[in-house]
Amino acid sequence: MLLFVVEIIIMILAILLGLRAAGALGCGIFAIVAQLIMIFGFQLPPGSAPVTAVLIILSIGIAGGTLQATGGIDYLVFLASKVIERFPRSIIFIAPMIVFLFVFGVGTANIALSLEPIIAKTAVKANIQPKRPLTASVLTANLALLCSPAASATAYIISVMAGYHISMGQYLSIVLPTAIITMLMLSVFCTFVGRKTSVTPSEMAHTPEVSVKQSFSTKTKLGVVSFLLCVSAILTFGIFPNLMPAFNVDGEQVNVTMTEIVQFFMYLSVAINLLMMKINTSDILSSNIAQSAIGALFAVLGPGWLGATVFNAPQNLKIIQEDIGQTIQSIPWLVIVLVAVVAMIVISQTATASIMVPIVMSMGIPPMYFIAMVQTLNVNFVIPAQPTLLFAVNLDETGRTRATSFIIPGFFAIGVSIIVGFLIKSILGF
């Protein structure tokens, strides 16, 4: 047991050191270095690398990066700005809804970065504290991320759950309504909780104007449509897996898997955009979405591979299943606390998932139990390191949005998501 604890400490230190040195990329690199220590130092047999998840994340990153390079993301931001500015008095509800829709469709929470200046400016014009819609929108982006079939964290979780015969449709049947209900409850919370003060004339004067590109080519618009249609196709096959092709090979039925479907349609959207528009490939690879995906790729590869080595070693697996597993089985809610603590430290949903999902599954926790509490991966607002959170703080010219402003609403949202998630799980009979 002592040796197992030492191995876990080394694993955590490597991941934290990597995150501090170079973010998600460093997290993956340092975790792979720790792999050497486990194999050569502790004589642990090497585990399996999460190759499938890495391939999915790569396809998502290239597809999203291509959309950004064509101006498709700018076009979506333009559409969102029109809706947000049309309903200024309802911005605490409208802004999170728009953010949810866009993050769900595109698969990256960073799209909220483009919407936050519009949200802040519209709130000030409506004499509403920007802190309220900004807080709700930043936290909602995280909720939506774990619902999106085009998000790296979701793709990784679904790829693992496929091994337990859990389809994307079953996953979304719990996670999607849970996230929507939580988003609405969060907007109510941000509307009524907290001291209400008006925006002063001087604060209005200091809030900068926001310029959004107004004209877009037909090809850009068609590129956005093709991307969203491909995401819709992934959702359709995920909800109705019987639609996927099956083949008879040497007397055995071979089915196309959901992980393959995600890659096929993501690359299809890339091909359509490449055919319609002349794009410099360097613009795709240097886009924010592609760069984030590369970081997420390593954040899954490193910790996921290291975790497979540490937790699947025969002696360690026995400890997890017989000692820790029995405690968790008798007090299952401890898993929620465990995942929340790791998420609080690691911050990245994808990295946290790659560390914790294999651990939780090895403890004998039912897959649907984890899915009901999956939003616990979003306890990443305590340590202020998220780009969307930091940008919201810097953006609010009134000075009322602080790094600590997200903690109470964040835990409220996580608490609601857990309660609603388990209620929906019970109603659906999982």
Side-chain angles (χ1 to χ4, degrees):
M1 174 66 86
L2 179 60
L3 201 59
F4 182 39
V5 172
V6 172
E7 292 164 359
I8 292 176
I9 291 173
I10 292 173
M11 177 181 176
I12 293 171
L13 289 175
I15 292 169
L16 291 178
L17 185 60
L19 284 169
R20 184 172 182 179
L25 177 64
C27 168
I29 299 298
F30 278 72
I32 292 174
V33 171
Q35 181 91 312
L36 289 172
I37 299 174
M38 297 303 166
I39 295 171
F40 290 97
F42 291 89
Q43 298 294 302
L44 300 183
S48 300
V51 177
T52 300
V54 166
L55 292 175
I56 292 175
I57 294 168
L58 182 61
S59 68
I60 290 171
I62 297 298
T66 303
L67 185 68
Q68 188 170 7
T70 62
I73 298 294
D74 291 335
Y75 178 59
L76 289 172
V77 170
F78 166 74
L79 295 177
S81 67
K82 293 300 179 184
V83 177
I84 291 171
E85 291 170 352
R86 188 175 179 182
F87 304 98
R89 299 300 304 173
S90 303
I91 191 169
I92 302 178
F93 286 88
I94 293 297
M97 289 179 186
I98 297 298
V99 168
F100 188 100
L101 183 64
F102 279 55
V103 173
F104 178 83
V106 179
T108 172
N110 286 338
I111 195 172
L113 292 170
S114 301
L115 298 175
E116 285 175 22
I118 301 163
I119 294 169
K121 182 64 181 178
T122 305
V124 169
K125 285 184 176 179
N127 199 24
I128 295 172
Q129 295 176 32
K131 168 185 173 180
R132 296 177 183 275
L134 285 173
T135 301
S137 298
V138 168
L139 295 172
T140 292
N142 292 334
L143 294 171
L145 196 68
L146 293 179
C147 305
S148 174
S152 58
T154 306
Y156 173 74
I157 295 169
I158 290 176
S159 70
V160 174
M161 293 302 162
Y164 296 88
H165 307 291
I166 305 296
S167 68
M168 181 185 288
Q170 291 173 310
Y171 175 85
L172 290 177
S173 68
I174 294 177
V175 180
L176 185 55
T178 296
I180 292 172
I181 293 170
T182 302
M183 172 192 66
L184 295 174
M185 293 299 294
L186 178 62
S187 292
V188 172
F189 182 89
C190 290
T191 300
F192 294 105
V193 176
R195 188 177 61 179
K196 295 183 179 180
T197 56
S198 300
V199 180
T200 65
S202 62
E203 290 171 338
M204 289 185 181
H206 282 89
T207 303
E209 291 294 333
V210 180
S211 60
V212 179
K213 185 179 177 182
Q214 300 291 319
S215 60
F216 299 89
S217 68
T218 302
K219 290 182 178 179
T220 296
K221 296 176 183 178
L222 289 174
V224 171
V225 172
S226 68
F227 179 88
L228 295 178
L229 285 175
C230 287
V231 173
S232 300
I234 294 170
L235 277 172
T236 301
F237 283 109
I239 295 171
F240 304 104
N242 292 333
L243 296 176
M244 287 192 283
F247 307 92
N248 191 302
V249 180
D250 297 331
E252 294 184 7
Q253 181 171 303
V254 177
N255 296 308
V256 176
T257 64
M258 197 61 225
T259 54
E260 292 168 332
I261 288 290
V262 172
Q263 294 174 72
F264 292 155
F265 281 99
M266 283 290 96
Y267 287 127
L268 175 61
S269 74
V270 175
I272 293 171
N273 273 294
L274 289 175
L275 287 172
M276 287 195 303
M277 301 183 71
K278 188 176 181 180
I279 309 169
N280 190 330
T281 53
S282 64
D283 291 338
I284 297 174
L285 297 175
S286 63
S287 66
N288 292 335
I289 293 178
Q291 292 294 315
S292 296
I294 292 172
L297 183 155
F298 278 94
V300 166
L301 176 62
W305 198 358
L306 177 60
T309 298
V310 172
F311 298 110
N312 288 334
Q315 64 270 32
N316 293 343
L317 191 60
K318 183 178 180 181
I319 294 171
I320 292 171
Q321 293 174 339
E322 295 182 3
D323 299 332
I324 302 173
Q326 288 179 0
T327 303
I328 295 295
Q329 290 287 344
S330 58
I331 316 174
W333 57 264
L334 285 177
V335 170
I336 298 173
V337 178
L338 182 63
V339 174
V341 170
V342 175
M344 192 185 304
I345 298 170
V346 177
I347 298 172
S348 166
Q349 295 98 329
T350 306
T352 305
S354 66
I355 297 167
M356 294 308 301
V357 173
I359 295 174
V360 172
M361 294 299 100
S362 66
M363 290 177 180
I365 296 297
M368 283 299 180
Y369 187 98
F370 178 79
I371 290 172
M373 52 160 278
V374 75
Q375 292 293 352
T376 313
L377 293 171
N378 280 323
V379 184
N380 51 10
F381 43 78
V382 177
I383 300 173
Q386 266 195 304
T388 50
L389 187 155
L390 294 174
F391 187 51
V393 173
N394 295 330
L395 190 68
D396 186 359
E397 294 290 331
T398 68
R400 291 170 183 157
T401 305
R402 298 181 176 88
T404 55
S405 300
F406 299 83
I407 295 177
I408 294 176
F411 278 115
F412 170 82
I414 296 300
V416 170
S417 72
I418 292 170
I419 294 170
V420 173
F422 280 104
L423 281 175
I424 293 176
K425 171 182 173 293
S426 177
I427 291 170
L428 295 178
F430 290 129

